Amino acid sequence: MSLGRPTFFAMGVNLALVSVAMVYILITHSRDFANMIRLAEENSRLANLDVLTNLPNRRQFFDKLHEWLRNAARNDKRFVVGGVDLDGFKSVNDVFGHVTGDQVLIETGRRLKDISNEGVLLARLGGDEFGIILEGDVSEAQINDYGERICTALRSPFLLSNVTVQIAGSIGFATYPEAGTTPELLFERADYALNHVKQHARGRSVIFSREHEIEIRQFASIERCLRNADLDRELSLNFQPIYDVVRQEVVAFEALARWDSRELGRVPPDEFIPVAERADLINNLTHILLRKALACARTWPEGVRISFNLSVRDIGSAEAILKIITIIENSGVAPERIDLEVTETALMRDFNKGSECLKALKALGVHIALDDFGTGYSSLSYVHRLPLDKIKIDRSFIKEIETQENCRDIVKSMIDLCRNLKLACVIEGMETKEQAEILRGLGGRMMQGYYFGKPMPADAVPGFLAATDQVPANCAIVSVAG
Ligand code: G
Ligand code: G
Ligand code: MN
């Protein structure tokens, strides 16, 4: 340009303009690009976070679990995986609504964080399920201690904006490398320990152990045998009398399943029913058992009722219920003579569906009994919202009724509750005359326990009925004041 030649001058201007334009384009692109990177980071953060609790989500949990396991395998290190599940959370949702449920989850996340130190990875895996990874070489005692601290923290009441709720949490742990050497197996075993503790000691923590491993193997063999069994032939029923101490006669029998496996011999129902439930075989079992139970009941005197246990899975779907209705309709036993027993824990899983299914059964004319009452959460709102006719008080209260005053008080309260709600009440598990007399004194009327009769095969029922008619002393007890 300094030469003053017009051609060069034009070229110079051109170059300057192009440079400015280039710089401008460069700046805007770089700004967009930076924005894009920020968005991508934000996306990945959101994709890895649980929005409710702000904890890592399921995806991040399993990514980290894979990473920790690779590290541990390479460096010969140990670590621990845990799963936490809330007990009673479903009913919080059902009874108080989802907003309250959300508050409980947020507070749960906060409490878990408060208890855990730096090396712990906490995650919300979904629903009311949380995951934990513990770093390093922690001893069994330390794991138990940490677990107990979590349980204690979750047991203390949740003071929410408009309501106070009390729930509990159960925890299962699995240690690497003892419990498993792949991420999936390790987590599966923590989950097994968790389910185990939920079934046997809710609100506690447990570490996956050798006993669990043996149990898994046993379960597998029961499942295999169940699948190969000729269930129509191998399943049978025992019947336990339910006695009315006022009328002094047997008013019903409860049908209790028995399985004589060709390979395993006799397997008790509390072993094979849970396996059948998990293996999705229970509906078939229930149908066979119900058909058999009703065929027996048909031969009994009209005044004697039949009580039959339904499992969770039986009240979980419309098809299962329809099949049960068909069996009852074809049985020749009046629906009004039939009691169907369900447990609270069965209803916990999906209250609304369970309650709908029970209503459909009830419309047929059968009566509904709540079994094992007092062992679960015994929420009065359940009792109130279910189409119940009868409550069965669990036998755990009866064992120490002679020595423990509070057992007597609890049983008395439950009997009164039934009377006020106009529900029939059956007390279970009395084994001695003394226990039966105390229960009678507390206002109990219908009783089911070894004292009045043990479960018996079908062909013993007519004889038993005849004997009690003739010799009331066999079963009757002297009446007690009150
Ligand atoms: O009969 P007891 O004998 O040991 O029964 C043990 C448990 O098995 C009880 O809790 C009882 O409710 C359950 N049970 C017994 N028979 C049946 C059945 O036919 N169906 C279901 N779902 N549970 C049963
Ligand atoms: O369905 P439910 O969980 O209520 O099953 C009843 C169970 O209680 C059966 O296993 C039956 O054998 C058992 N049972 C009934 N009466 C007594 C009793 O008096 N004592 C004891 N220990 N068990 C009983
Ligand atoms: Mn029962």
Side-chain angles (χ1 to χ4, degrees):
M1 277 165 119
S2 65
L3 292 177
R5 296 242 195 110
T7 334
F8 286 167
F9 186 82
M11 280 168 72
V13 169
N14 190 13
L15 242 153
L17 283 175
V18 166
S19 301
V20 168
M22 291 283 283
V23 167
Y24 176 76
I25 289 169
L26 217 75
I27 287 175
T28 45
H29 273 221
S30 114
R31 204 187 300 132
D32 287 353
F33 194 63
N35 265 343
M36 246 159 65
I37 290 181
R38 214 160 27 80
L39 275 176
E41 275 170 358
E42 179 69 10
N43 270 342
S44 115
R45 199 179 65 84
L46 284 179
N48 284 301
L49 265 196
D50 171 55
V51 276
L52 193 62
T53 58
N54 252 330
L55 291 174
N57 62 10
R58 189 178 194 92
R59 171 208 291 240
Q60 192 180 349
F61 179 80
F62 281 100
D63 282 353
K64 289 276 192 249
L65 184 56
H66 276 93
E67 201 179 304
W68 283 47
L69 198 130
R70 268 198 307 274
N71 263 330
R74 207 175 303 125
N75 304 319
D76 225 5
K77 286 258 176 57
R78 305 164 43 79
F79 70 96
V80 185
V81 178
V84 180
D85 194 279
L86 300 180
D87 303 318
F89 178 74
K90 289 250 159 34
S91 58
V92 171
N93 255 345
D94 288 338
V95 177
F96 301 112
H98 284 258
V99 176
T100 306
D102 284 356
Q103 287 175 340
V104 169
L105 293 174
I106 294 169
E107 175 64 16
T108 300
R110 207 174 292 144
R111 288 183 188 185
L112 291 177
K113 234 188 243 164
D114 283 348
I115 293 171
S116 313
N117 51 26
E118 285 297 294
V120 178
L121 180 97
L122 289 171
R124 174 163 173 240
L125 303 181
D128 59 347
E129 204 190 341
F130 293 80
I132 299 175
I133 309 180
L134 294 178
E135 198 174 33
D137 202 2
V138 273
S139 71
E140 217 161 85
Q142 282 169 314
I143 300 172
N144 283 327
D145 179 60
Y146 175 63
E148 282 310 313
R149 272 187 292 138
I150 292 180
C151 293
T152 310
L154 296 181
R155 256 196 301 270
S156 77
F158 287 68
L159 313 171
L160 307 174
S161 49
N162 53 353
V163 65
T164 299
V165 301
Q166 178 142 28
I167 52 166
S170 304
I171 311 163
F173 290 108
T175 54
Y176 175 86
E178 293 85 358
T181 48
T182 67
E184 292 76 23
L185 189 59
L186 207 52
F187 182 75
E188 199 177 284
R189 297 200 143 181
D191 203 46
Y192 184 88
L194 171 61
N195 282 319
H196 198 267
V197 78
K198 269 181 105 68
Q199 268 170 30
H200 297 95
R202 280 165 161 260
R204 302 294 303 275
S205 99
V206 74
I207 306 174
F208 185 88
S209 66
R210 250 191 67 74
E211 283 77 59
H212 292 134
E213 192 151 353
I214 292 169
E215 203 177 79
I216 288 179
R217 246 178 268 134
Q218 255 169 13
F219 263 50
S221 95
I222 290 181
E223 180 181 337
R224 188 177 46 77
C225 292
L226 267 180
R227 286 192 193 280
N228 296 331
D230 177 0
L231 290 175
D232 242 328
R233 225 184 47 214
E234 295 175 19
L235 285 175
S236 65
L237 288 157
N238 270 4
F239 295 93
Q240 187 180 29
I242 299 174
Y243 192 77
D244 181 329
V245 296
V246 175
R247 279 165 54 190
Q248 304 210 337
E249 60 187 4
V250 172
V251 288
F253 285 90
E254 176 175 356
L256 295 160
R258 300 291 178 257
W259 177 34
D260 293 290
S261 158
R262 207 161 16 89
E263 292 167 74
L264 302 170
R266 177 159 279 202
V267 186
D270 31 16
E271 284 181 29
F272 73 80
I273 299 274
V275 177
E277 283 172 347
R278 286 228 305 237
D280 220 3
L281 298 166
I282 187 71
N283 294 145
N284 184 30
L285 257 75
T286 298
H287 300 153
I288 294 174
L289 289 165
L290 182 58
R291 238 180 262 123
K292 290 189 182 218
L294 294 178
C296 291
R298 212 182 142 180
T299 66
W300 303 342
E302 278 290 320
V304 179
R305 309 179 60 80
I306 168 93
S307 215
F308 185 85
N309 294 285
L310 291 184
S311 116
V312 206
R313 302 288 184 99
D314 295 323
I315 52 168
S317 76
E319 301 89 77
I321 287 297
L322 280 177
K323 181 84 190 190
I324 288 173
I325 289 177
T326 312
I327 293 173
I328 293 175
E329 280 177 335
N330 293 335
S331 68
V333 177
E336 291 72 24
R337 272 178 69 197
I338 302 171
D339 290 311
L340 295 176
E341 299 188 11
V342 290
T343 61
E344 277 176 280
T345 30
L347 287 159
M348 278 317 227
R349 302 244 172 121
D350 188 340
F351 183 86
N352 292 327
K353 200 184 269 170
S355 150
E356 284 309 307
C357 286
L358 291 184
K359 282 186 187 130
L361 288 169
K362 174 122 177 178
L364 193 67
V366 301
H367 290 188
I368 308 292
L370 191 58
D371 204 2
D372 301 345
F373 188 68
T375 52
Y377 276 83
S378 309
S379 159
L380 293 187
S381 113
Y382 276 176
V383 173
H384 167 72
R385 286 166 58 198
L386 287 170
L388 296 180
D389 302 278
K390 184 177 281 182
I391 280 179
K392 298 187 78 174
I393 299 178
D394 192 69
R395 68 168 188 267
S396 54
F397 299 99
I398 313 307
K399 255 185 275 166
E400 285 165 292
I401 197 121
E402 282 163 90
T403 51
Q404 300 268 330
E405 197 185 334
N406 68 338
C407 280
R408 284 198 291 277
D409 291 342
I410 291 172
V411 171
K412 172 98 174 57
S413 309
M414 291 195 278
I415 293 172
D416 291 345
L417 173 81
C418 292
R419 185 174 305 128
N420 294 335
L421 294 175
K422 310 220 162 25
L423 298 174
C425 175
V426 177
I427 312 174
E428 291 194 88
M430 60 294 303
E431 297 184 356
T432 65
K433 186 169 182 219
E434 288 72 27
Q435 289 173 338
E437 282 175 356
I438 291 172
L439 292 169
R440 171 110 203 236
L442 296 175
R445 177 165 178 178
M446 282 194 270
M447 308 211 185
Q448 176 185 358
Y450 291 171
Y451 174 64
F452 293 103
K454 292 195 171 170
M456 62 190 87
D459 54 14
V461 169
F464 185 85
L465 284 172
T468 52
D469 275 353
Q470 287 156 22
V471 200
N474 177 18
C475 270
I477 50 169
V478 284
S479 101
V480 177

